[in-house]
Amino acid sequence: MQVTLWGARGSLATPGPETARYGGNTSCVGVVGREGTVLVLDAGTGIRRLAATIPESVRRVDILLTHLHMDHIQGLGFFAPLYRSDMDVHVWGPGSATQRMAARLRRYLSPPLFPVSLSELPCRLTIHDVQSGEVDIGEFRVCAALVCHPGPTVGYRITSSAGKVLTYLPDHEPALAALRFPSLPREWTSGGTLAAGSDILIHDGQYSAAEYPGHCGWGHSSLAQAFSFGTLVGARRFVPFHHDPNHTDDDIDRMMAEALDETRPAFQVTPGVEGTVLDL
Amino acid sequence: MNSKPKPIQIILARQFASTLAMPILIVDTEGTLIFYNEPAEAILDQRFDETGEMSSKLWSTLFALEDEDRNPIGLEDRPMTLALTERKPISRTMWMRCRYGEWRHVQITAFPILGEANQFLGAQMIFWEL
């Protein structure tokens, strides 16, 4: 599979010269399989550019939403395939205890927040409630599990037909679910089983160690916590993701160096830079 | 015992229980005792770090229960069993005695843990000494 980071920023789109290198678009990752299956992980503002790269011949796209915070859905209405009548678009995401996914998503994709309603979209749209468990999408097996983050939030484990594993946990605070982190085994750690043995782990690393205590419970990790999580699950390559909108490129460079120096992970770290392409 | 993957609701239940002063036991859908907190350790005279998870057959022998009239309460009528089998909350006052301890008058509350789409995930029990 080929994995492309179309948006690696968290919380708020952050254009500007000071964020140009890591990028300012919010969460969106494209996954294309060897047989042509197209998955889109989250619909942040990065999804607009991704849409332009989908070949004309593609007739089905699956969008896997981790949760419905704005930075993960704000680009959805600007995803060009939604306006093609010859396109099947499947949107997957978590429902809540009282509302189906479609009803939750409609709160954004309807006036006054957006001029076009879901029911007016020309494409053949199917909205799925993600349950914890596995589903086959094209050549991929996709496993979802609820993880520690405010509101219903899932992570995704995507396994290719060749057995390669990409795990996507862009918003994740496993340290909140442990008195001392990381002290518990994988099965007692949020996301631990989902991410076990990942070839590529794209994971939240929003804060520095100094910033985390002031943001505990907001649903995000420090880079050092993220690297510790990567070690716990035995990741082979780690991509820090969901950069804080207040962090400049130089800030992220500095935070990354400090966290690597503190944790000295055994896995390869590939900075979450918008435009990065990873082959797996 | 082999430890199975835990859903986030159970992981968070353990975290919550770890910070409370009330004795709390958490079981999975099969009745396996998958966690008990420090206050419960004092009552059970066991340490979770040492015992790890315990099958329902094993942990149910750790204490005896009697109703208010001092009649023994069988395994099938215990609060945790009812929470698991009937998937309803139950709260009763009763008498409890651990292996080498004295009888204690307690309120026991047990309730099922239901996740998204009412998925049954296990049950939780709280002791309250009267």
Side-chain angles (χ1 to χ4, degrees), chain A residues 170-229:
Chain A
D171 292 47
H172 189 210
E173 189 180 6
L176 188 66
L179 286 179
R180 298 172 301 281
F181 183 80
S183 62
L184 298 174
R186 283 177 191 170
E187 66 270 18
W188 275 110
T189 300
S190 171
T193 304
L194 188 77
S198 299
D199 293 293
I200 296 177
L201 172 58
I202 299 175
H203 192 280
D204 189 329
Q206 182 153 345
Y207 301 126
S208 67
E211 290 169 331
Y212 176 75
H215 300 83
C216 183
W218 290 29
H220 303 290
S221 297
S222 72
L223 270 169
Q225 290 167 343
F227 290 154
S228 296
F229 178 81

Side-chain angles (χ1 to χ4, degrees), chain A residues 95-97 130-132 146-148 175-179 184-191 193, chain B residues 3-12 14-15 18-19 26 34-35 48-49 53 116-117 119:
Chain A
S96 71
V130 165
Q131 304 285 336
S132 295
L146 287 166
V147 295
C148 194
L176 188 66
L179 286 179
L184 298 174
R186 283 177 191 170
E187 66 270 18
W188 275 110
T189 300
S190 171
T193 304
Chain B
S3 188
K4 296 177 184 172
K6 307 295 186 290
I8 189 66
Q9 296 90 339
I10 296 293
I11 291 172
L12 292 171
R14 172 178 176 163
Q15 159 68 357
S18 299
T19 63
I26 302 171
I34 55 175
F35 181 69
F48 181 71
D49 284 345
E53 298 185 3
E116 77 270 26
Q119 184 187 10

